[in-house]
C-alpha cells in the first residue's frame, strides 16, 4: 500500500472528479437516440401511490421531468445524477477501511466508467436508482462492521426509500440479515440494527402492503418473465455479471468478497502486520504517523461523516467489538446470486451487490500492492473506453456498425424507431378509432408522439401491466372501432364482433422485438368494454 493514507479533506472530494465526469458524459450523449420504451411507459402512467408492476418513484421522477421539458436529456437527468452519486459512494468504501486518497479515487473512477453504471446512467429506468440504493445499503453494513455508529440506521432508511422505487432491495436486506446472523451476530444486537429495521418498515412498508392487498401482481409479472426467458436468463447470470462489473475488475471483486473486520492485513509485511511504522487496526488496515497528522488537521476530532476516526491520535478507526466475524460480504453476494439463479426474471438482478465488492477490493489490492493495483490507471482507462463504446450512443443508429453495437447492447436499439412505430399505428387506424396495444412501450410511443399525428392521448390504451388499470380507451362504456396492436390474435378476435388485418409494424432496429407485430382493425367489443377488458389483461414483460 502507498505511504499516503486518508487525508484531511471532505468525504466527497476524492470521488468528485469521477462523479462530475460521468454526469457530463451521460448528459452529453443522452439525446443522441431517443426515449427508451420503458421511459415512454413511465411518461404515460399517471402519478399514483402504487402500480401493478413497480413502485412509483421512477414514474414520479419521469412526470417531474416531463413537466419541465420533453427533451430526452431532462428525462434522464435523475439517472445521470444517480450515476454520479454512485461514483461518490464507491470512493467511500476504501475510505471507511482507512485506504488513502488515491485508492478512493481509483474506486470512484472504476465504478463510474464500467459497463453497468453507464448503462443505467444513460437511461432512466427503475434499475438506475436501484444500483445506488444497493450501494448505500452495503455501505451501511460495511460501516457498521468497522464500528461506525448509526450505520445500520441509515442503511435501513436507504432501503425503505428504495422500496418506493424497486422492491428487489428486500432481497438484499434479507441477504444482509442472514449474512450478519451467520458472520457477525453482535451487529444485529445493537440499537442501530433495530432502528434500521424500524425505518425500513415505516418507510417502505406501504409498498409491500399495497402489493399484498392487491394480490401481489408483481409476482405474476416475474413469473411471466421466468416462463418466457428463465432458461436463457439462468445461463446469462454469471457471464453478464462479469461483463457488467467489468472483466478487468473481477479479481478486484474477488479480493473484496473475502474482506471482514477480523482480517488483519498491513501495507507491508512485518511482525503481525506491523513494520514499525504504525499498527494494524481491527478493520484490517494500519494506522501510523500519517494518520496522526490527519487527526491534528481535524483539530483532534473529525466532523467527516464517513471517516471512522474516533479522535485519538494514531488510530484510523475504533475497534469493533472483539467478536468472531466472518466474510459478511461473501455470504451476502452468494445469497443474492442464488436468488438470481433460482428466479431468473432478469439476468442482471445480482449485479448491484458486486460493485461494493470491487470498491472494497481496491483497498485490499492496494494494501498488498498487487499487479492489478500497480496498473490500476491503465486498467481503469482501458475498461472505460471499451465500456463507453458499448454502452453509450456513440455510433449513430443510421450507421452500418449500429447493428453490431446494438447486438452487444440491446438497450441502444430499444431507444430507436418509436416515432416511426407511432406513425405507422396512426396511419393504420380507422378514422376516429382508438389504438389499443399489447405492449406498454407501443402504447407509450402512441401516447408520446400520437398528438402530433392526430391521435388524441385519450384514444390510446393498453391492457399490459399497470396500463390495464387505466381502463379501455375513452372509457365511456360504449362500443367503437379500435386498432389492436400485438397480442394473441385468437383472443383478440374472440373479444370483438369483427376484426380485419391492418398490416404489420416495420421496425428496422427491432426495439423490444416488435418488428413484424400484427395490427387488426376491430369493432364492437362483445358485451361492451366492461366484459372484454378484464379478459385481455396481461401481466408480464
Amino acid at each position: 500500500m502507498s505511504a499516503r493514507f486518508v487525508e484531511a479533506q471532505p468525504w466527497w472530494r476524492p470521488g468528485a472528479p469521477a462523479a462530475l465526469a460521468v454526469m457530463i458524459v451521460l448528459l452529453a450523449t443522452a439525446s443522441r437516440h431517443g426515449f427508451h420504451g420503458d421511459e415512454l411507459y413511465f411518461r404515460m402512467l399517471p402519478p399514483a401511490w402504487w402500480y401493478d408492476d413497480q413502485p412509483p418513484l421512477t414514474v414520479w421522477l419521469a412526470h417531474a421531468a416531463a413537466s419541465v421539458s420533453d427533451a430526452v436529456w431532462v428525462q434522464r437527468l435523475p439517472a445521470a445524477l444517480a450515476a454520479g452519486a454512485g461514483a461518490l459512494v464507491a470512493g467511500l468504501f476504501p475510505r471507511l477501511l482507512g485506504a488513502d486518497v488515491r485508492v478512493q479515487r481509483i474506486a470512484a473512477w472504476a465504478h463510474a466508467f464500467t459497463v453497468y453504471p453507464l448503462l443505467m446512467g444513460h437511461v432512466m429506468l427503475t434499475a438506475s436508482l436501484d444500483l445506488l440504493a444497493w450501494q448505500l445499503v452495503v455501505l451501511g453494513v460495511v460501516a457498521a462492521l468497522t464500528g461506525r455508529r448509526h450505520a445500520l440506521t441509515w442503511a435501513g432508511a436507504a432501503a425503505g426509500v428504495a422500496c418506493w422505487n424497486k422492491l428487489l432491495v428486500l432481497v438484499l436486506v434479507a441477504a444482509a440479515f442472514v449474512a450478519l446472523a451467520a458472520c457477525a451476530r453482535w451487529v444485529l444486537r445493537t440499537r442501530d440494527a433495530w432502528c434500521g429495521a424500524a425505518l425500513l418498515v415505516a418507510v417502505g412498508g406501504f409498498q409491500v402492503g399495497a402489493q399484498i392487498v392487491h394480490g401481489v401482481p408483481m409476482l405474476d409479472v416475474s413469473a411471466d418473465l421466468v416462463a418466457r426467458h428463465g432458461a436463457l436468463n439462468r445461463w446469462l447470470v454469471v457471464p453478464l455479471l462479469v461483463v457488467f462489473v467489468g472483466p478487468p475488475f473481477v479479481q478486484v471483486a474477488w479480493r473484496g468478497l473475502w474482506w471482514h473486520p477480523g482480517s488483519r492485513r498491513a501495507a507491508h509485511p512485518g511482525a503481525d502486520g506491523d513494520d514499525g511504522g504504525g499498527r494494524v487496526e481491527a478493520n484490517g488496515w494500519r494506522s501510523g504517523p500519517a494518520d496522526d497528522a490527519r487527526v491534528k488537521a481535524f483539530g483532534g476530532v473529525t466532523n467527516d461523516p464517513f471517516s471512522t476516526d474516533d479522535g485519538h491520535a494514531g488510530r484510523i478507526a475504533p475497534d469493533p467489538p472483539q467478536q468472531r466475524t466472518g466474510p459478511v460480504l461473501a455470504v451476502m453476494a452468494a445469497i443474492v446470486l442464488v436468488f438470481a439463479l433460482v428466479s431468473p426474471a432478469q439476468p442482471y438482478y445480482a449485479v448491484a451487490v458486486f460493485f461494493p465488492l470491487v470498491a472494497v477490493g481496491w483497498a485490499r489490492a492496494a494494501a498488498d500492492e498487487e499487479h492489478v493495483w500497480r496498473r490500476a490507471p491503465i486498467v481503469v482507462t482501458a475498461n472505460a473506453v471499451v465500456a463507453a463504446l458499448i454502452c453509450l450512443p456513440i455510433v449513430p443508429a443510421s450507421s452500418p456498425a449500429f447493428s453490431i453495437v446494438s447486438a452487444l447492447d440491446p438497450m441502444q436499439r430499444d431507444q430507436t424507431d418509436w416515432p416511426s412505430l407511432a406513425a405507422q399505428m396512426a396511419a393504420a387506424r380507422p378514422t376516429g378509432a382508438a389504438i389499443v396495444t399489447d405492449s406498454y412501450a407501443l402504447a407509450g410511443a402512441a401516447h408520446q408522439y400520437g398528438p402530433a399525428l392526430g391521435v388524441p392521448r385519450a384514444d390510446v390504451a393498453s391492457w399490459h401491466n399497470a396500463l390495464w388499470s387505466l381502463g379501455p380507451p375513452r372509457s365511456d362504456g360504449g362500443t367503437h372501432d379500435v386498432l389492436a396492436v400485438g397480442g394473441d390474435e385468437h383472443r383478440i378476435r374472440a373479444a370483438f364482433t369483427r376484426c380485419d388485418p391492418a398490416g404489420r409494424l416495420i421496425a428496422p432496429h427491432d426495439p423490444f422485438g416488435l418488428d413484424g407485430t400484427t395490427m387488426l382493425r376491430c369493432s364492437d367489443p362483445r358485451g361492451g368494454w366492461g366484459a372484454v377488458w378484464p379478459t385481455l389483461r396481461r401481466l408480464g414483460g
Side-chain angles (χ1 to χ4, degrees), residues 35 38-51 54-71 74-78 124 129 444 447-448 457 466-467 470:
F35 289 113
D38 282 7
E39 292 173 318
L40 294 171
Y41 172 47
F42 300 150
R43 292 170 70 89
M44 182 176 178
L45 284 171
W49 289 106
W50 85 286
Y51 301 99
Q54 64 189 8
L57 181 57
T58 298
V59 177
W60 291 352
L61 292 174
H63 275 269
S67 68
V68 174
S69 171
D70 272 342
V74 176
Q75 174 79 33
R76 294 173 176 175
L77 181 59
M124 183 56 187
L129 303 181
H447 185 268
Q448 176 70 25
R457 285 177 171 165
L467 294 178
L470 304 184

Side-chain angles (χ1 to χ4, degrees), residues 129-188:
L129 303 181
D130 203 46
L131 173 57
L132 176 61
W134 282 48
Q135 286 181 273
L136 291 172
V137 172
V138 179
L139 181 71
V141 172
V142 172
L145 290 170
T146 54
R148 179 69 184 179
R149 294 171 183 168
H150 311 307
L152 289 185
T153 301
W154 289 109
V161 173
C163 286
W164 286 77
N165 175 68
K166 197 176 180 74
L167 290 178
L168 188 65
V169 73
L170 296 178
V171 175
L172 178 65
V173 171
F177 175 80
V178 173
L180 290 172
C183 302
R185 193 168 300 173
W186 55 269
V187 174
L188 296 178

Side-chain angles (χ1 to χ4, degrees), residues 213-230:
V213 167
H214 293 88
V216 199
M218 287 183 65
L219 291 182
D220 293 328
V221 176
S222 179
D224 176 78
L225 289 169
V226 172
R228 292 197 295 148
H229 307 297

Side-chain angles (χ1 to χ4, degrees), residues 23 37 65 78 88 107 161 195 211 213 238 245 247 328 358 364 382 396 412 433 437 477 493 521:
M23 286 190 292
L88 292 177
V161 173
C195 289
Q211 281 288 320
V213 167
V238 174
V245 169
V328 174
V358 176
R364 300 198 74 194
Q412 292 210 34
T437 76
R493 288 182 179 276
R521 296 188 183 97

Side-chain angles (χ1 to χ4, degrees), residues 66-67 110-111 114 139 166 182 205 213 224 254 281 320 351 366 407 423 428 450 462 468 475 496 500 534:
S67 68
H111 176 92
T114 197
L139 181 71
K166 197 176 180 74
V213 167
D224 176 78
W254 181 259
E281 298 296 339
V351 172
S462 176
W468 176 87
S475 301
F496 292 89
D500 297 315

